[in-house]
């Protein structure tokens, strides 16, 4: 039944109850499938849950006890999560962690035991022994996919026995911790099943659906969207070893799934494989494709729909909300590229300063509240004090609703690039660069800058056979973005740096790439140097070089690509008006940009009269220190529209 409603219309609020109910409704229905394994039915899964609960109690483990699990992706990862979370608190960890990471997570979790497959060589074992954490070995059976037994030494008597209740913590996961210490997010049975139901209703899941899971099962995306939403609907999930692009289309052919959910980088790899297949149609008919956990570029969405012949549904989720918060609808509902859709679970609002609620088109922080949202971080009162207010959780994401009620995310607040006081959304820069035919992927990021605080860099992955230089990409971006959003530094990479869940890692990227300056050393970084030709060009080149602090300026160089901004443009105009007594509008520089073009404008000259009511350049310069670059530019244009800015007074200097 769609959405996982129980008889009588009330959905189950615990994992044990959910599995038992689905087994009663359709004992022979398939729950879990794995490559090379017999499928596990709902009756088999219910029996496995019961057997595991009894075994946990024998070992002295019950509701409220935390079990850290290190289980590679596959049927056992899905089955052990369901069974362990039904009677304790599951804490899946990335099997690829190294010893220091395991030491941090096992300590922070206050884990009672570590669950790890027998024979798996992992530093987690030694770390657990050092910390005094018990070890339970998971032995995969030869039976259906996901079957397992637990072996280990008893740990006393469990404080509670049996299945966990709706308000017991079922799952704990850490936040990514890209800008601070990772925070521990506890999610109750009720939180998880509420979110799974939201996802099932959004996607209209039924028992006839089959999900191909390629997401890691130590991440809320795979656990909630692929596994739990599938079980809520009484459907089946294919448990792969993880995302393997060369195997993707083989899995489509073998398992005939009706949908899959992934992060954008995975979708881009699927596209690359699809292009290798030429005009061959997909080997199965997908009802839809889902994308979440990071922004899906509109270009990728369009290409994916064309290649796979299925609508792409972009959704918005995060760990603290047990995954889904908003989603685009299935057809015939309208899907808006670039939007994460409408609220699809919790209540969502956009907040401004001092608690104000913002209207359509107004950008602010996205706030959520609802039964799928965590009640607070564990052992972290400071984080809770800043993240929760008046019942709302502050997501840290910035965005707005349009007039149709669709939510657009402009970026993580901590990811916004602060260039001289102007906040720039890196997503806008990413999507602009990806419109270039040679660009497959783009990830813009902040570069520390002594004068502006931060400048814009961009890491770019070119398409196979694609060719472009940094100068060409900047010129392309300059035709679509205001000058201060054009990346000053562009680097080419074979692939974008990604975290363990496949999300591109934007924060701290400059440091990881060893970039400490916006200056590019490669010859392709700037247009080919051409020496200034006219007396005006030569004199103007000296002025630009002095203000922009560059060794030389060629006649084809762009003022803004060399580091100029509206503040420096204003300073430069002081020198121009002193040297030539020409009242050139600042807007002329914004249009001309190159030394050659601007020198021609200077040679043509301009009126030198002082319009009534116009402010002097000294007045504007005095105010510059308190204004953002965008505000300086706005005021300059406004002043010019009213008759211009008056020339610098006789004897004045910068």
């Amino acid at each position: 039944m769609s959405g996982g409603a129980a008889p009588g219309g009330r959905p189950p609020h615990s994992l044990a109850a959910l599995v038992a109910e689905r087994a009663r409704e359709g004992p022979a229905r398939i729950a879990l499938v794995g490559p090379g394994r017999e499928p596990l039915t709902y009756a088999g899964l219910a029996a496995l849950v019961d057997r595991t609960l009894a075994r946990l109690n024998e070992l002295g483990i019950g509701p409220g006890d935390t079990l850290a699990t290190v289980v590679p992706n596959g049927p056992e990862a899905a089955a052990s999560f369901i069974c362990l979370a039904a009677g304790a608190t599951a804490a899946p960890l990335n099997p690829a962690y190294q010893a220091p990471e395991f030491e941090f997570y096992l300590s922070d979790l206050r884990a009672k035991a570590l669950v790890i497959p027998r024979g798996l060589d992992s530093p987690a074992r030694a770390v657990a022994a050092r910390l005094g954490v018990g070890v339970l070995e998971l032995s995969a059976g030869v039976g259906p996919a996901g079957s397992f037994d637990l072996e280990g030494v008893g740990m006393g008597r469990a404080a509670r026995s049996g299945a966990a209740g709706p308000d017991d913590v079922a799952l704990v996961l850490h936040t990514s911790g890209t800008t601070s210490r990772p925070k521990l997010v506890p999610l109750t049975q009720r939180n998880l099943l509420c979110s799974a139901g939201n996802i099932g209703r959004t996607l209209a899941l039924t028992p006839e659906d089959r999900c191909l899971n390629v997401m890691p099962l130590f991440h809320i995306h795979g656990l909630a969207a692929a596994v739990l939403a599938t079980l809520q609907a009484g459907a089946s999930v294919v448990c792969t070893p993880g995302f393997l692009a060369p195997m993707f289309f083989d899995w489509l052919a073998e398992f005939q799934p009706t949908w899959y959910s992934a992060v954008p980088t995975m979708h881009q790899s699927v596209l690359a494989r699809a292009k290798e297949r030429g005009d061959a149609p997909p080997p199965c008919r997908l009802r839809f494709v889902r994308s979440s956990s990071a922004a899906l570029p509109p270009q990728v969405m369009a290409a994916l729909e064309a290649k796979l012949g299925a609508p792409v549904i972009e959704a918005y989720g995060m760990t603290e909300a047990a995954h889904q918060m908003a989603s685009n609808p299935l057809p015939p509902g309208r899907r808006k590229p670039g939007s994460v859709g409408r609220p699809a679970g919790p209540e969502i609002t956009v907040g401004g300063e001092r608690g104000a609620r913002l209207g359509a088109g107004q950008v602010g922080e996205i706030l959520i509240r609802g039964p799928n949202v965590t009640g607070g971080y564990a052992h972290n009162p400071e984080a809770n004090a800043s993240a929760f207010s008046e019942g709302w959780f502050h997501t840290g994401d910035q965005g707005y609703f349009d007039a149709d009620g669709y939510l657009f995310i402009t970026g993580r607040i901590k990811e916004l690039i602060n260039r001289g006081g102007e906040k720039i959304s890196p997503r806008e820069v990413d999507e602009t660069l990806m419109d270039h035919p040679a660009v497959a992927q783009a990830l813009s990021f902040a570069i520390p800058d002594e004068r502006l605080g931060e400048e814009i860099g961009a890491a770019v992955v070119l398409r196979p056979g694609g060719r472009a230089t940094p100068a060409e990409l900047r010129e392309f971006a300059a035709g679509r973005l205001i000058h201060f959003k054009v990346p000053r530094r562009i680097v080419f990479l074979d692939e974008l740096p990604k975290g363990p869940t496949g999300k591109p890692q934007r924060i701290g990227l400059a440091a990881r790439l060893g970039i400490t300056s916006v200056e590019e050393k490669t010859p392709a970084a700037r247009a080919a140097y051409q020496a200034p030709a006219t007396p005006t060009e030569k004199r103007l080149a000296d002025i630009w070089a002095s203000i922009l602090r560059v060794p030389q300026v060629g006649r084809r160089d762009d003022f803004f690509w060399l580091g100029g901004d509206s503040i420096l443009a204003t300073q430069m105009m002081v020198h121009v008006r002193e040297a030539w007594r020409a009242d050139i509008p600042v807007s002329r520089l914004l249009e001309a940009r190159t030394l050659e073009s601007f020198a021609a404008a200077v040679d043509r000259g301009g009126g030198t009269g002082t319009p009534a009511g116009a402010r002097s350049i000294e007045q504007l310069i005095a105010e510059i220190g308190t204004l953002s670059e965008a505000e300086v530019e706005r005021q300059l244009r406004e002043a010019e529209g009213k008759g211009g800015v008056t020339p610098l007074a006789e004897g004045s200097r910068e």
Side-chain angles (χ1 to χ4, degrees):
M1 58 186 67
S2 178
R10 297 184 61 189
H13 286 305
S14 75
L15 286 169
L18 170 67
V19 174
E21 184 173 296
R22 294 297 171 263
R24 287 193 299 270
E25 294 170 349
R29 288 178 186 162
I30 294 173
L32 303 180
V33 184
R37 302 284 295 277
E38 290 295 319
L40 180 68
T41 65
Y42 274 93
L45 180 59
L48 184 60
V49 168
D50 291 341
R51 189 166 67 247
T52 303
L53 291 180
R55 182 59 175 149
L56 289 175
N57 293 164
E58 289 175 6
L59 293 166
I61 297 168
D65 293 325
T66 299
L67 299 176
T69 66
V70 180
V71 184
N73 251 40
E76 286 76 27
S80 63
F81 160 65
I82 296 162
C83 295
L84 297 177
T89 299
L93 298 178
N94 186 347
Y97 282 152
Q98 298 302 307
E101 295 164 308
F102 280 124
E103 183 152 3
F104 167 77
Y105 289 114
L106 287 175
S107 300
D108 201 49
L109 287 167
R110 306 179 186 182
K112 186 168 186 177
L114 168 70
V115 178
I116 189 168
R118 171 174 286 196
L120 181 66
D121 184 17
S122 168
R125 294 178 181 275
V127 172
R130 187 163 61 250
L131 296 176
V133 175
V135 175
L136 301 179
E137 295 206 320
L138 184 151
S139 299
V142 294
S147 301
F148 68 90
D149 293 308
L150 285 179
E151 301 174 10
V153 178
M155 303 174 192
R157 184 179 178 85
R160 293 168 55 196
S161 60
D167 296 318
D168 285 317
V169 175
L171 173 68
V172 287
L173 294 171
H174 281 86
T175 60
S176 61
T178 53
T179 58
S180 61
R181 175 187 173 92
K183 297 183 284 290
L184 191 58
V185 183
L187 297 167
T188 65
Q189 305 266 333
R190 195 187 306 274
N191 290 151
L192 287 176
L193 293 182
C194 178
S195 184
N198 293 336
I199 297 166
R201 283 185 291 275
T202 299
L203 303 177
L205 297 180
T206 74
E208 285 66 48
D209 278 303
R210 173 168 288 184
C211 173
L212 177 69
N213 177 53
V214 293
M215 289 298 298
L217 293 181
F218 50 81
H219 183 265
I220 194 63
H221 183 159
L223 294 171
V227 176
L228 291 182
T230 295
L231 297 183
Q232 275 276 45
S236 60
V237 56
V238 181
C239 304
T240 72
F243 180 71
L244 300 173
M247 295 297 297
F248 183 81
F249 284 93
D250 292 337
W251 288 335
L252 291 185
E254 180 180 359
F255 296 108
Q256 295 292 300
T258 59
W259 68 286
Y260 78 95
S261 187
V263 298
T265 52
M266 294 177 182
H267 292 309
Q268 288 169 321
S269 295
V270 169
L271 271 178
R273 300 298 297 187
K275 290 174 181 176
E276 293 175 6
R277 291 166 47 85
D279 295 329
C284 75
R285 183 175 179 80
L286 293 170
R287 187 162 67 86
F288 63 88
V289 172
R290 185 176 183 272
S291 185
S292 189
S293 298
L296 180 68
Q299 303 93 329
V300 175
M301 177 180 176
L304 203 61
E305 290 191 345
K307 278 293 182 182
L308 297 183
V312 175
I313 309 301
E314 184 171 11
Y316 172 38
M318 68 188 314
T319 304
E320 289 89 340
H323 192 46
Q324 183 168 286
M325 297 180 287
S327 179
N328 278 274
L330 289 166
R334 183 181 179 187
R335 304 184 312 284
K336 288 194 177 185
S339 168
V340 294
R342 294 170 169 163
E347 187 179 354
I348 303 177
T349 190
V350 176
E353 296 181 0
R354 301 181 182 87
R357 298 294 176 261
L358 305 180
Q362 294 181 294
V363 176
E365 184 176 11
I366 298 169
L367 312 179
I368 61 171
R369 66 183 178 190
N372 59 310
V373 180
T374 182
Y377 298 111
H379 324 305
N380 201 331
E382 296 84 3
N384 288 329
S386 62
F388 293 86
S389 64
E390 300 179 351
W392 293 95
F393 173 71
H394 293 246
T395 66
D397 289 328
Q398 184 188 69
Y400 65 93
F401 280 106
D402 70 5
D404 297 323
Y406 282 72
L407 182 64
F408 288 79
I409 300 174
T410 55
R412 288 290 291 173
I413 291 174
K414 292 180 180 179
E415 288 182 349
L416 295 178
I417 300 170
N418 188 347
R419 185 183 187 275
E422 182 65 30
K423 306 297 194 301
I424 299 165
S425 168
R427 285 185 58 178
E428 181 182 7
V429 181
D430 297 348
E431 293 178 4
T432 298
L433 291 172
M434 286 187 63
D435 280 334
H436 190 283
V439 175
Q441 299 177 57
L443 189 69
S444 53
F445 56 92
I447 299 174
D449 184 83
E450 289 184 2
R451 189 175 57 82
L452 293 172
E454 291 179 336
E455 260 290 5
I456 306 175
V460 168
V461 177
L462 295 177
R463 298 183 185 278
R467 294 181 178 276
T469 66
E472 289 168 351
L473 291 183
R474 279 199 296 268
E475 184 174 0
F476 178 84
R480 292 158 174 79
L481 296 171
I482 192 168
H483 67 84
F484 57 77
K485 295 181 181 179
V486 176
R488 284 284 311 284
R489 180 83 185 264
I490 294 178
V491 295
F492 295 107
L493 302 176
D494 292 332
E495 63 176 326
L496 298 180
K498 295 183 284 289
T501 61
K503 293 170 64 173
Q505 299 292 288
R506 193 188 307 275
I507 294 177
L509 183 55
R512 287 197 296 276
L513 296 177
I515 295 175
T516 58
S517 168
V518 295
E519 294 181 10
E520 297 188 55
K521 308 302 181 183
T522 61
R526 290 172 56 181
Y529 176 76
Q530 293 186 22
T534 69
T536 300
E537 287 180 7
K538 292 175 182 177
R539 191 171 183 184
L540 193 58
D542 290 338
I543 294 173
W544 284 24
S546 174
I547 290 173
L548 298 174
R549 299 180 182 178
V550 294
Q552 65 178 13
V553 176
R555 67 195 313 255
R556 295 294 176 84
D557 281 335
D558 184 299
F559 182 84
F560 298 104
W561 291 358
L562 294 178
D565 52 51
S566 294
I567 297 172
L568 293 181
T570 305
Q571 296 177 11
M572 190 265 292
M573 288 302 180
V574 173
H575 293 281
V576 169
R577 287 166 178 166
E578 283 189 315
W580 283 278
R581 293 296 172 189
D583 190 12
I584 307 297
V586 176
S587 57
R588 187 67 55 80
L589 175 60
L590 300 175
E591 296 164 0
R593 301 179 66 101
T594 65
L595 182 77
E596 177 186 23
S597 297
F598 189 66
V602 171
D603 284 337
R604 287 194 295 272
T608 57
T610 303
R615 287 178 293 171
S616 70
I617 198 73
E618 297 102 313
Q619 289 173 304
L620 284 177
I621 292 173
E623 296 172 8
I624 281 172
T626 63
L627 301 178
S628 70
E629 181 182 339
E631 180 64 12
V632 171
E633 184 170 310
R634 186 193 66 76
Q635 290 199 18
L636 285 170
R637 288 186 183 276
E638 183 180 83
E640 289 160 7
K642 293 178 180 178
V645 179
T646 62
L648 190 70
E650 186 67 33
S652 296
R653 292 290 184 270
E654 178 186 346

